[in-house]
Structure formats: C-alpha cells, structure tokens
Amino acid sequence: MNIGTLIRKRRKEKKLTLKIVAEQASISEGFLSQVENDVNSPSVDTLIRICNALDVDAGNLLTQVSNKEKIILIRKADWDDIDLSHTGFVTRRFFSPDDRTVIDSSVLVIEPGKSIPVRKNIKNGQEVLCILKGSVELTLSDTTYQMVEGDSVHFWSNPEHQKITNNSVHKSFVLWVGTL
C-alpha cells in the first residue's frame, strides 16, 4: 500500500470527509484528494498535520508503507485448486487494488464456454495476454484471434469492442497484464 491509500483508508474508517480532514490539517480539500490518489506528495510537516487530523501516528503510517509486500508468488501447482464462481471465471491478482498504480496483472482462470468482462473506463490502455494452459478466443473490434498454449499478444485496449472467451472444453489459464 502507498501512503495516499493508507490515508484514505484511515479517513474512511473514521467516517470523515475530505473537507473535515483538510480543514483540520490546514490544507485544501483538493490537495488532500491529490495525496490520497498519489497525484501529489505531502511535505513531512503536512503529512504530520494530516495524520494528526486522522489520529494516526505518522511514523506508524510510514512503517506500514515500507513493510508492504513487494512480491507475490503464485506457483503453478496452485492453479488447479481454484474454485470457480457462478460467473465461470476467476481472477487471481498478484497485488490488491490498493497496491496497483501503473499496471494491473493477474492469472485468469476461465471455464469452458465463458467470457471475462472487459475493464471499464480504460482510455489508452494496453494489455498483454499469454496463454499458460488451454486456449482462448480474443475478439478485438471485428477480428477474432484463436490463441493456444504458449501464444501471447500485446494490444491497445478497446473496452467497447473486445472480449476474451474460452470456447474449448477445458479450463484455460491466461496471464494477463494491463495498464491502468
């Protein structure tokens, strides 16, 4: 987790608005929003004022940031232990949503005959697929690509006109990486 995420999490836990915390920390609401979204970084003095407004020790907050996981390892042997939900697919993320800022990545497990939903609100994003096991069909606009184990593709996201489907009779495992 980064510092902005921890500040936002603490503020929401305390059920405080951006406005209240910003006023107590003597900063603008807009600046606090930028800090929470990692668009801007506070000075040490400002960080201490924000932490005081949230009743959290700035040192503890910094320790949490420095102790975050820097690597997530998923072994191939873990793939078959995945319980698929009623949707027919599972996304095994490498990092939690709070820790993803530039790229998103996961291993997609897709049941036969199922498709995965397209990410929403992505503009100028790029994606990479690598078929680890099984096969999938990638549809981009009016073109469909049949992909099998070992195939990979790098493409510009097209949320209105893209779909990833497993048309085989076996589960498919796909490494997926996309920019945010």
Side-chain angles (χ1 to χ4, degrees):
M1 248 181 242
N2 50 42
I3 199 149
T5 302
L6 289 172
I7 289 170
R8 180 177 46 250
K9 182 179 175 186
R10 180 65 178 193
R11 179 179 60 77
K12 289 185 175 191
E13 284 172 358
K14 296 190 67 79
K15 297 180 176 32
L16 297 171
T17 64
L18 280 167
K19 184 178 182 174
I20 289 171
V21 175
E23 285 175 357
Q24 290 178 2
S26 300
I27 58 174
S28 73
E29 190 175 336
F31 180 73
L32 179 57
S33 176
Q34 289 177 352
V35 169
E36 287 188 359
N37 289 299
D38 290 310
V39 174
N40 214 328
S41 297
S43 67
V44 173
D45 181 56
T46 302
L47 176 62
I48 291 170
R49 290 196 321 264
I50 293 169
C51 288
N52 288 340
L54 295 170
D55 193 31
V56 63
D57 181 75
N60 288 343
L61 198 70
L62 292 170
T63 298
Q64 287 178 47
V65 170
S66 68
N67 288 338
K68 73 178 179 180
E69 288 201 62
K70 292 176 178 52
I71 184 171
I72 304 293
L73 177 64
I74 299 174
R75 299 274 185 201
K76 184 177 178 181
D78 297 333
W79 292 356
D80 291 326
D81 294 338
I82 297 172
D83 289 324
L84 293 169
S85 69
H86 69 284
T87 61
F89 73 92
V90 170
T91 302
R92 297 218 34 198
R93 299 239 183 250
F94 293 97
F95 285 102
S96 73
D98 293 338
D99 290 329
R100 298 185 310 251
T101 57
V102 177
I103 64 169
D104 192 1
S105 59
S106 64
V107 172
L108 307 172
V109 183
I110 311 169
E111 276 287 338
K114 299 293 183 175
S115 296
I116 63 167
V118 176
R119 299 181 302 155
K120 305 279 188 228
N121 302 319
I122 299 297
K123 292 181 175 67
N124 297 318
Q126 297 180 51
E127 299 183 45
V128 174
L129 297 177
C130 181
I131 313 309
L132 302 173
K133 184 176 177 183
S135 62
V136 297
E137 181 178 279
L138 170 64
T139 302
L140 292 172
S141 297
D142 296 330
T143 306
T144 299
Y145 304 88
Q146 301 296 328
M147 300 177 65
V148 296
E149 187 172 322
D151 288 349
S152 60
V153 63
H154 182 157
F155 59 94
W156 288 93
S157 303
N158 188 351
E160 287 88 39
H161 305 285
Q162 91 183 41
K163 183 163 72 168
I164 301 168
T165 306
N166 178 359
N167 285 326
S168 75
V169 295
H170 303 287
K171 282 183 203 173
S172 292
F173 297 82
V174 179
L175 173 65
W176 171 86
V177 178
T179 58
L180 297 173

